[in-house]
Amino acid sequence: MRADAQKNRQRLIEVTVELVMEIGGEPPRDAVAERAGLGIGTLYRHFPDQQSLLHAAVRHVLEKTISAGEDLVETVPDGVDVLRQYMHMALDSGIGVVNIIRPLLENRYWPDLLDRATALMKSIVGRAVQEGSVRSDLSERDIVFALIRFARPLPVGLPSSEERALAHRHLDFYIDGLCAPRGPPSQVIPN
Amino acid sequence: MRADAQKNRQRLIEVTVELVMEIGGEPPRDAVAERAGLGIGTLYRHFPDQQSLLHAAVRHVLEKTISAGEDLVETVPDGVDVLRQYMHMALDSGIGVVNIIRPLLENRYWPDLLDRATALMKSIVGRAVQEGSVRSDLSERDIVFALIRFARPLPVGLPSSEERALAHRHLDFYIDGLCAPRGPPSQVIPN
DNA sequence: ATCTAAGCGGAGGAATAATCTCCGTTTATG
DNA sequence: CATAAACGGAGATTATTCCTCCGCTTAGAT
């Protein structure tokens, strides 16, 4: 593959992630090409159908996020700190793109990543619960869905820097809540 | 206005709220008519343009939610309890529809409601902060945006009952966090 | 320097989806 | 019953996104 083609392919993936994070859903294909400064033809040559583009984007983000998470687990001593840092990092590294994948656990496409991700989440949540520093009914699901929730842009026209600042702020509140249950014990949702 | 027409109009509004809450955005008009069991013609007679329908829906929900909130303020003794109950109630009564109104504070359309809403939020947040039972940098904005965030359906295909249960569970975590800040003091976002 | 296969661009036609009009039929109500 | 008010929904219109096609450009080998 020619070097410029390689670079363009990468750029298309990055732009896709950007756009998904901005609009909170599947971006129109021509918007991707335009933002990347490339022709639509080029987009279609690299990614002949919708799926291939979105999957490439999700894979890109998952790889980045999981790797960084694994580093945190090894580096950071305190369990809650790992959890907190992981969530903020994931928000910034574009974890929100997973929202475009309808069946979230369609193993078929990334059996490798899914295993790593599962192991990572189990390790992070498990450690924090073990420590006793977060509510004991906390599940991996809570973290995954919370990330999707906080990563999505609010459908209000906030400037994107404010948008992100607010997401991090509210994420912090959420995590504080995991550490210090005050309310009525929440109904535990199995699995 | 004929009695049946009146009833249909109301039904259209309710269905609109339902649909917005389900899909998390502006529903196609024909979907509204169909779900209401009415013809498209009927929808267009009552609401000639998009705006009029959406505005009616938002007004309906705002009125319901604000009134209930005002009751809570008068009835419930403890400040944090008011806050918590208000947020859960708002989630259920469809406050998520405000997400379809782009300029959230376009005073022009509901000067009356906006004043009441502002006063209500100030009163709820003010009381809780006064009491010292929530973080002192909590703002009305945090509550409004958090509500929008938690009310939106996750773009993952969860069955809607699970969806709602999860939203309430995570909302509880969030509120717990407001009560017990542990993390680094969040950057205060002005206004 | 030259050649050429790999890669690019983007006009414009096809497909899809949402909007809205129009008028014949139905029905509430006096 | 009479009739004006209200309804229904087929189908035309408009908007949006998708995607093909082919002539042009360029990286990279020789």
Side-chain angles (χ1 to χ4, degrees):
Chain A
M1 183 182 252
R2 244 165 68 175
D4 56 340
Q6 181 62 50
K7 202 166 54 97
N8 286 339
R9 186 191 164 82
Q10 197 54 32
R11 171 125 188 83
L12 286 167
I13 292 176
E14 277 155 19
V15 165
T16 301
V17 173
E18 257 181 55
L19 279 174
V20 171
M21 296 298 290
E22 271 170 39
I23 70 183
E26 306 188 3
R29 323 269 293 277
D30 4 13
V32 174
E34 189 183 2
R35 164 97 57 121
L38 298 170
I40 314 105
T42 303
L43 173 58
Y44 278 82
R45 195 165 335 95
H46 284 292
F47 304 99
D49 57 44
Q50 182 75 296
Q51 285 237 330
S52 57
L53 175 59
L54 299 183
H55 280 181
V58 171
R59 169 169 289 275
H60 175 70
V61 168
L62 281 182
E63 276 168 357
K64 228 179 21 173
T65 311
I66 294 174
S67 296
E70 288 166 344
D71 282 357
L72 285 177
V73 169
E74 284 176 12
T75 320
V76 178
D78 195 39
V80 208
D81 290 346
V82 177
L83 180 61
R84 195 180 292 267
Q85 286 182 44
Y86 175 72
M87 291 187 82
H88 283 284
M89 177 276 289
L91 220 57
D92 284 334
S93 73
I95 195 65
V97 292
V98 304
N99 83 15
I100 59 184
I101 300 303
R102 305 312 315 330
L104 196 53
L105 349 85
E106 241 315 4
N107 196 298
R108 185 149 63 97
Y109 298 112
W110 19 64
D112 50 331
L113 289 179
L114 226 49
D115 287 355
R116 271 175 76 198
T118 306
L120 175 62
M121 292 308 301
K122 275 209 157 65
S123 146
I124 294 178
V125 174
R127 171 128 71 107
V129 169
Q130 205 71 52
E131 270 183 17
S133 43
V134 299
R135 53 188 310 141
S136 59
D137 65 349
L138 186 67
S139 78
E140 291 84 33
R141 235 175 85 108
D142 286 320
I143 304 304
V144 171
F145 287 150
L147 280 175
I148 294 177
R149 209 185 278 287
F150 286 108
R152 276 184 107 194
L154 290 173
V156 176
L158 252 51
S160 85
S161 67
E162 236 181 286
E163 174 85 55
R164 277 173 21 87
L166 197 62
H168 282 287
R169 175 174 161 92
H170 284 184
L171 173 57
D172 260 328
F173 295 176
Y174 177 86
I175 299 170
D176 288 348
L178 300 182
C179 300
R182 295 282 175 102
S186 267
Q187 178 198 353
V188 180
I189 297 169
N191 202 345
Chain B
M1 181 183 253
R2 245 165 67 174
D4 56 340
Q6 180 62 50
K7 203 166 51 97
N8 286 340
R9 186 191 164 83
Q10 196 53 34
R11 172 126 188 82
L12 286 168
I13 292 175
E14 278 155 19
V15 165
T16 301
V17 173
E18 258 181 54
L19 279 175
V20 172
M21 295 299 289
E22 273 171 38
I23 70 184
E26 304 187 5
R29 325 268 294 273
D30 11 11
V32 174
E34 188 184 2
R35 165 94 58 116
L38 298 170
I40 314 104
T42 303
L43 172 58
Y44 277 83
R45 195 164 336 94
H46 284 293
F47 304 98
D49 57 44
Q50 182 75 296
Q51 286 236 330
S52 58
L53 175 59
L54 297 182
H55 280 182
V58 171
R59 170 168 290 274
H60 175 71
V61 168
L62 281 182
E63 275 169 357
K64 228 181 21 176
T65 309
I66 294 174
S67 296
E70 288 166 345
D71 283 357
L72 284 176
V73 169
E74 284 176 12
T75 320
V76 179
D78 194 40
V80 208
D81 291 345
V82 177
L83 180 61
R84 195 179 291 268
Q85 286 182 44
Y86 175 71
M87 291 187 82
H88 283 284
M89 176 277 289
L91 220 57
D92 284 335
S93 74
I95 196 65
V97 292
V98 304
N99 83 15
I100 58 185
I101 300 302
R102 306 312 312 331
L104 197 51
L105 348 86
E106 240 314 4
N107 196 298
R108 184 151 63 96
Y109 298 112
W110 19 63
D112 50 332
L113 289 179
L114 226 49
D115 287 355
R116 271 175 75 197
T118 306
L120 175 62
M121 293 308 301
K122 274 209 158 64
S123 146
I124 293 179
V125 173
R127 171 129 69 107
V129 169
Q130 205 72 53
E131 270 183 17
S133 43
V134 299
R135 54 189 308 141
S136 60
D137 65 348
L138 186 68
S139 79
E140 292 83 34
R141 235 175 84 108
D142 287 321
I143 303 304
V144 172
F145 287 150
L147 281 175
I148 295 177
R149 208 185 278 285
F150 287 108
R152 276 184 108 195
L154 292 172
V156 175
L158 253 52
S160 85
S161 66
E162 236 179 287
E163 174 85 56
R164 277 174 20 89
L166 197 62
H168 281 287
R169 175 174 161 91
H170 285 185
L171 173 57
D172 260 326
F173 295 176
Y174 177 86
I175 299 170
D176 289 348
L178 300 182
C179 299
R182 295 278 176 105
S186 268
Q187 179 197 353
V188 179
I189 296 169
N191 202 346

